[in-house]
């Protein structure tokens, strides 16, 4: 068996990016788990014996790090026709992730290795990267499995004060599980609406599009709730335990931990705002606790704003000093304002930040949208819009126009798409502009 120091060393190197997961490491994990299972022979101890007590949390961490390292290497849409080498590489990486996730499932006393649940998260994210209906279905099944394990592990520790550290470890992983579920919901919807012309429309019908509207509405509603739960867990961890500067064997939640859940939750809320109008167009009733779609929309805007405020909130280090927001998170913050400007022109969303200057314009009217779009395009001259601002699905575009609420003559979305076509992540693809024009013309 690997010693605790060997397990710890692998984890640190994987996190630092100085080591990659290979077949030899996967085989070593399998061999160790097989050795761990010999302790299950009768009489089975009620708790992990000393030989495993220190190893189990580290093995859970190693399974977490190896699977996360690999899922980031899997190309998007690797299971699409014509993917070529990307498909072979994606399938090979997914097989390794599956092997490690199964090793995690076979661990004895798995509740003492909570980070193994990260492997099931990685399986779900890898399956969603297929960008097929079957891949999305598989991802949702895996998200459900991870949640069931979490609940079982937490119940097994009970509520005694002595189990406090174990519950913290589980909740730190749970934040990641909820975030991944929100990510799957957003990824599915954004892929469908942006790649409708190229990947989903051929051979499809209006009925198929309407079925997707309903499915995406359900999925993003679930994703929104998961994101809000991730935020709640993060806020509780911050209040009770504080955040840390670096991940180690004891703690997982870093000081910027709330920004990504805030971003993903706000993205899900934006998608919900548009898709809700698609559901209204299909004459579906609003979700049960709402008496009307207008009440639902009002609440959805509030949920968006709560998530947005989480992103804007300054992260602080252990001395209370503000940690500068990374360029990646700042770009996502501006992107959220762009989405709400497309969906609700003139919406008031005061910002606490003064840089970049486009954040200071309120309400988010046409002028603000222009400034935001220009900032998003700089310095490369293009953007990375993969969802609302890149839609080629006519039924979704109709829902966006309904959401804007400016009447049947409103062509603001059309004009923005044409003026800022270069923000479309797929703008360089041959025929992409023609697909956009066809979609816009279909709802003229």
């Amino acid at each position: 068996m690997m010693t605790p120091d060997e397990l710890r060393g692998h984890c640190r190197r994987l996190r630092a990016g100085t080591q990659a997961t290979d077949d030899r490491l996967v085989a070593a994990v399998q061999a160790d788990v097989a050795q761990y299972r010999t302790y299950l022979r009768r009489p089975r101890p009620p708790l992990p014996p000393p030989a495993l007590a220190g190893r189990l949390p580290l093995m859970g961490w190693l399974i977490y790090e190896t699977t996360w390292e690999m899922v980031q290497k899997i190309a998007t849409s690797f299971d699409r026709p014509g993917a070529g080498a990307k498909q072979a590489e994606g399938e090979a990486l997914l097989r390794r992730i599956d092997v490690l996730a199964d090793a995690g499932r076979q661990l004895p006393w798995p509740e003492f290795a909570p980070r193994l649940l990260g492997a099931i998260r990685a399986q779900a994210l890898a399956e969603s990267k297929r960008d097929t209906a079957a891949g999305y279905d598989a991802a949702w099944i895996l998200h459900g499995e991870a949640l069931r394990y979490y609940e079982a592990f937490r119940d097994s520790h009970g509520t005694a004060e002595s189990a406090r550290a174990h519950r913290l470890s589980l909740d730190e992983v749970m934040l990641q599980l909820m975030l991944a579920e929100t990510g799957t919901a957003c990824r599915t919807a954004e892929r469908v609406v942006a790649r409708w012309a190229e990947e989903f429309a051929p051979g499809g019908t209006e009925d198929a599009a309407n079925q997707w509207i309903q499915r995406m509405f359900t999925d993003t509603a679930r994703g929104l709730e998961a994101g809000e739960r991730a935020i709640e867990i993060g806020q509780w961890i911050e209040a009770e335990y504080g955040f840390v500067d670096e991940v180690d064997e004891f703690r997982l939640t870093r000081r910027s931990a709330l920004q990504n859940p805030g971003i993903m939750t706000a993205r899900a809320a934006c998608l919900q705002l548009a898709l809700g109008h698609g559901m209204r167009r299909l004459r579906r009733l609003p979700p049960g606790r709402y008496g009307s779609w207008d009440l639902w929309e009002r609440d959805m805007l509030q949920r968006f704003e709560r998530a947005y405020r989480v992103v804007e909130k300054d992260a602080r280090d252990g001395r209370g000093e503000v940690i500068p927001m990374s360029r990646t998170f700042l770009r996502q913050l501006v992107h959220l304002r762009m989405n709400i400007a497309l969906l609700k022109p003139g919406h008031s969303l005061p910002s606490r930040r003064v840089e970049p200057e486009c954040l200071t314009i309120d309400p988010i009217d046409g002028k603000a949208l222009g400034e935001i779009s220009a900032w998003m395009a700089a310095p490369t001259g293009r953007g990375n819009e993969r969802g609302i601002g890149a839609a080629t699905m006519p039924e979704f575009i109709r829902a966006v126009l309904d959401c804007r609420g400016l009447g049947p003559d409103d062509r603001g979305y059309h004009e923005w798409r044409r003026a800022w076509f270069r923000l479309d992540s797929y703008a360089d693809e041959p025929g992409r502009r023609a697909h956009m024009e066809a979609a816009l013309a279909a709802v003229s």
Side-chain angles (χ1 to χ4, degrees):
M1 291 189 294
M2 285 182 275
T3 67
D5 282 344
E6 288 172 329
L7 291 166
R8 194 177 289 113
H10 284 305
C11 294
R12 288 172 176 168
R13 289 190 295 274
L14 285 159
R15 178 153 285 271
T18 59
Q19 177 179 339
T21 307
D22 56 20
D23 287 334
R24 186 161 61 178
L25 182 55
V26 173
V29 169
Q30 288 181 290
D32 273 26
V33 172
Q35 286 290 311
Y36 294 2
R37 288 186 63 80
T38 63
Y39 289 89
L40 293 175
R41 295 170 184 164
R42 296 184 181 281
R44 174 179 173 168
L47 293 172
L52 293 188
R55 284 183 168 91
L56 280 171
L58 292 170
M59 179 56 77
W61 185 19
L62 180 57
I63 291 172
Y64 177 103
E65 295 293 350
T66 50
T67 54
W68 179 243
E69 186 262 341
M70 288 188 290
V71 78
Q72 294 180 89
K73 294 179 178 177
I74 297 177
T76 58
S77 300
F78 73 93
D79 202 20
R80 288 286 181 181
K86 289 182 179 180
Q87 184 177 41
E89 182 182 15
E91 293 290 359
L93 288 166
L94 182 52
R95 281 194 297 272
R96 280 182 181 168
I97 292 171
D98 289 343
V99 167
L100 288 165
D102 285 341
R105 292 180 179 97
Q106 294 170 33
L107 277 172
W109 299 282
E111 65 272 23
F112 293 96
R115 293 187 190 176
L116 72 86
L117 298 180
I120 303 176
R121 171 193 65 162
Q123 280 185 299
L125 293 174
E127 288 288 353
S128 74
K129 282 191 168 187
R130 293 183 186 278
D131 284 321
T132 63
Y136 300 144
D137 288 341
W140 283 114
I141 291 169
L142 288 160
H143 287 312
E145 180 189 4
L147 179 58
R148 290 191 296 273
Y149 273 118
Y150 162 82
E151 291 171 344
F153 290 176
R154 212 172 195 284
D155 286 347
S156 71
H157 288 301
T159 58
E161 182 64 24
S162 59
R164 184 177 171 88
H166 295 305
R167 292 195 299 273
L168 170 61
S169 295
L170 275 167
D171 285 339
E172 288 194 307
V173 176
M174 182 61 169
L175 190 158
Q176 300 299 324
L177 298 179
M178 293 293 96
L179 181 58
E181 192 167 317
T182 307
T184 293
C186 292
R187 177 181 180 78
T188 302
E190 290 170 350
R191 187 75 187 182
V192 172
V193 303
R195 303 299 287 169
W196 183 259
E198 295 88 353
E199 299 175 9
F200 295 89
T205 63
E206 185 176 343
D207 285 344
N210 291 336
Q211 288 171 10
W212 269 111
I213 291 288
Q214 294 172 81
R215 171 176 175 162
M216 291 187 294
F217 180 81
T218 300
D219 286 352
T220 52
R222 175 176 166 180
L224 176 59
E225 290 178 358
E228 289 172 333
R229 187 171 179 185
I231 291 171
E232 289 173 2
I233 293 171
Q235 290 172 333
W236 175 80
I237 291 172
E238 182 181 28
E240 292 291 320
Y241 300 94
F243 295 148
V244 296
D245 294 317
E246 298 295 336
V247 171
D248 60 18
E249 62 197 274
F250 304 108
R251 293 295 310 277
L252 190 60
T253 314
R254 294 190 295 179
R255 300 193 187 282
S256 60
L258 284 169
Q259 288 178 332
N260 214 18
I263 289 165
M264 297 303 296
T265 304
R267 276 173 64 186
C270 285
L271 289 162
Q272 275 273 284
L273 278 168
L275 291 165
H277 283 273
M279 295 289 282
R280 184 189 300 208
R281 182 175 282 272
L282 292 173
R283 300 181 183 275
R284 300 296 187 266
L285 294 174
R289 69 178 186 271
Y290 300 100
S292 70
W293 280 110
D294 289 341
L295 290 173
W296 173 89
E297 182 176 87
R298 189 182 310 161
D299 183 60
M300 193 56 56
L301 280 166
Q302 292 174 351
R303 293 168 78 178
F304 165 81
E305 290 186 10
R306 284 197 296 269
Y308 177 88
R309 297 299 174 204
V310 169
V311 187
E312 274 214 335
K313 181 177 180 290
D314 289 322
R316 297 180 180 272
D317 62 21
R319 296 171 298 180
E321 299 293 327
V322 173
I323 301 171
M325 182 178 284
S326 72
R327 176 76 178 184
T328 298
F329 285 148
L330 188 60
R331 189 174 180 82
Q332 292 286 352
L333 187 69
V334 176
H335 185 255
L336 291 173
R337 293 180 79 86
M338 186 176 80
N339 277 345
I340 209 67
L342 290 173
L343 293 169
K344 286 294 177 187
H347 184 74
S348 179
L349 188 64
S351 175
R352 297 175 57 252
R353 296 186 173 271
V354 296
E355 293 290 341
E357 190 174 347
C358 64
L359 288 175
T360 66
I361 305 173
D362 187 69
I364 311 178
D365 53 15
K367 178 180 183 296
L369 180 57
E371 294 289 333
I372 288 168
S373 302
W375 188 88
M376 291 291 289
T380 62
R382 56 171 300 174
N384 197 29
E385 172 57 39
R386 294 190 178 96
I388 294 167
T392 60
M393 183 183 193
E395 287 75 7
F396 182 80
I397 295 174
R398 288 190 185 96
V400 169
L401 299 185
D402 288 347
C403 186
R404 289 169 61 83
L406 299 181
D409 296 327
D410 172 30
R411 287 296 174 266
Y413 178 80
H414 290 59
E415 292 166 2
W416 179 86
R417 286 293 302 280
R418 291 178 175 124
W420 294 99
F421 172 70
R422 60 188 181 276
L423 292 181
D424 187 322
S425 184
Y426 312 102
D428 291 341
E429 292 184 5
R432 180 66 180 178
R433 182 178 284 275
H435 287 315
M436 178 197 74
E437 291 291 352
L440 294 177
V443 295
S444 293

